[in-house]
Amino acid sequence: LIASYRIFTRLKIVGKKNLQHLDLPVIFMPTHTSYMDPLALVMALPLKIRRKLSFAAARDVLYKEYKSLAWLAELLMNSFSLQRQKGENIKLGLDHMGQLLDKNYSIGVFPEGKMSIDGKLQPLKQGVGLMAIEMNVVVVPVKLVGTNKVLPYGKIFPRHFGKVTVRFGKPLKFKKSDSYVCPNRHQAFRRLL
């Protein structure tokens, strides 16, 4: 799968030095403008991280709208279901995430909670702060640029050849005493994204 998407992209990786001394596992929090985003992140990561990486996938999208492809996402991307809608109990998804982190798996989760149609950063979900603080692991913000040109919103097969940039930010470590809505770290996160 990665090889087939490499045909459509010229990958540029920025901030690789921010991955050099990571104490694994970590939570990667990339921007989200295309269904290609998880693949772009995987292509940019070193093999030692890529081998033990799992992605949180929106239950209402992957496990309902595209349920016929859910098995493929689980097989290729080690995806698991995460509730994101108001009123849904995210406890099961967070419990699963905690179990994966305990088994030394890093997690990819999209902090906006949904894909951006216009490419602009959307408000971050409130659960992002909870994950960052309660999971007690480093968070690596990631900005993905160009995936929406190669694989536009709502499409599942690439439409164009293009350059994709994956920009890794400096790892952020939160303390238990930090607020789930942590303004200074939140701003640092937003500056990158």
Side-chain angles (χ1 to χ4, degrees):
L1 185 65
I2 289 176
S4 65
Y5 273 87
R6 283 194 194 277
I7 294 168
F8 291 94
T9 61
R10 189 173 70 249
L11 192 66
K12 178 182 177 185
I13 304 167
V14 179
K16 252 187 174 175
K17 66 181 183 300
N18 292 323
L19 302 177
Q20 287 176 352
H21 303 291
L22 281 179
D23 186 19
L24 299 175
V26 300
I27 298 176
F28 292 99
M29 291 193 178
T31 53
H32 197 21
T33 59
S34 167
Y35 289 127
M36 183 184 177
D37 294 336
L39 201 51
L41 178 59
V42 167
M43 289 189 298
L45 288 170
L47 186 60
K48 75 172 190 167
I49 298 174
R50 192 183 329 163
R51 252 189 274 158
K52 292 196 85 170
L53 179 67
S54 188
F55 280 91
R59 187 171 63 92
D60 59 304
V61 177
L62 183 60
Y63 293 91
K64 285 188 178 177
E65 193 176 333
Y66 293 103
K67 65 181 173 188
S68 62
L69 297 175
W71 68 272
L72 187 60
E74 289 174 356
L75 178 69
L76 298 176
M77 305 303 262
N78 200 20
S79 295
F80 65 93
S81 174
L82 186 66
Q83 295 79 355
R84 66 179 185 142
Q85 299 295 334
K86 260 192 175 161
E88 286 186 317
N89 184 351
I90 67 168
K91 186 178 181 333
L92 285 175
L94 291 177
D95 285 348
H96 189 72
M97 187 183 295
Q99 290 170 15
L100 285 166
L101 289 166
D102 287 345
K103 292 177 181 173
N104 220 29
Y105 275 82
S106 292
I107 306 291
V109 64
F110 298 102
E112 299 162 272
K114 62 181 179 179
M115 213 180 292
S116 172
I117 298 171
D118 61 7
K120 293 179 183 169
L121 186 66
Q122 303 172 94
L124 304 183
K125 288 294 215 184
Q126 290 181 347
V128 169
L130 173 86
M131 287 177 206
I133 293 167
E134 296 301 326
M135 297 296 176
N136 196 30
V137 294
V138 165
V139 172
V140 179
V142 185
K143 183 172 185 173
L144 303 173
V145 180
T147 53
N148 58 337
K149 301 285 191 276
V150 176
L151 188 64
Y153 177 82
K155 305 295 182 196
I156 57 172
F157 296 106
R159 297 292 193 246
H160 307 283
F161 174 84
K163 184 171 100 173
V164 170
T165 301
V166 179
R167 182 181 309 272
F168 293 102
K170 289 187 178 176
L172 303 171
K173 181 67 173 173
F174 295 86
K175 296 179 287 200
K176 288 284 188 187
S177 59
D178 285 335
S179 165
Y180 291 158
V181 182
C182 187
N184 57 349
R185 300 283 181 133
H186 206 64
Q187 288 168 1
F189 189 80
R190 283 185 162 285
R191 269 198 302 276
L192 171 78
L193 304 180

